[in-house]
Amino acid sequence: MLTQDCIDKIKDVPLSDVIRHFVPDMKKKGTNWQACCPFHGEKTPSFHVNDVKGIYKCFGCGEGGGSINFVMKLERLNFYEACVKIADL
């Protein structure tokens, strides 16, 4: 069972650290990170990660959210499974 404290600690992990486990080709661009989107095929990067706001956004397909949401969508996991996966990183 996940407590709110555990969920808060998972959310405190920098988003770029979580996403780089799944998208290793991310590059730092100013204060943000940028890469080709893992949710759809593309040749030029439209996937952006902002650690300060704790969100990601793809301006190509429209996907966006936080770390737990990212892992849930990419790995097709439920909330609990995504939290466990992030905790294991």
Side-chain angles (χ1 to χ4, degrees):
M1 180 174 172
L2 292 172
T3 64
Q4 187 60 46
D5 184 51
C6 183
I7 293 168
D8 291 341
K9 286 180 182 177
I10 289 169
K11 288 181 178 179
D12 285 343
V13 175
L15 182 57
S16 61
D17 289 350
V18 173
I19 293 179
R20 276 186 289 168
H21 281 279
F22 303 96
V23 185
D25 63 335
M26 277 200 334
K27 304 283 189 243
K28 185 86 165 154
K29 298 287 183 179
T31 58
N32 294 329
W33 293 83
Q34 192 175 6
C36 290
C37 181
F39 298 107
H40 76 280
E42 63 182 1
K43 293 180 182 178
T44 58
S46 64
F47 183 79
H48 297 263
V49 176
N50 184 313
D51 279 330
V52 174
K53 294 180 181 178
I55 58 171
Y56 70 90
K57 174 73 176 171
C58 176
F59 293 97
C61 69
E63 287 291 340
S67 60
I68 297 171
N69 178 264
F70 175 83
V71 175
M72 285 174 65
K73 286 183 179 182
L74 189 67
E75 298 284 304
R76 294 188 171 111
L77 301 174
N78 64 36
F79 183 84
Y80 176 80
E81 293 167 333
C83 289
V84 170
K85 181 122 184 158
I86 293 169
D88 287 343
L89 296 178

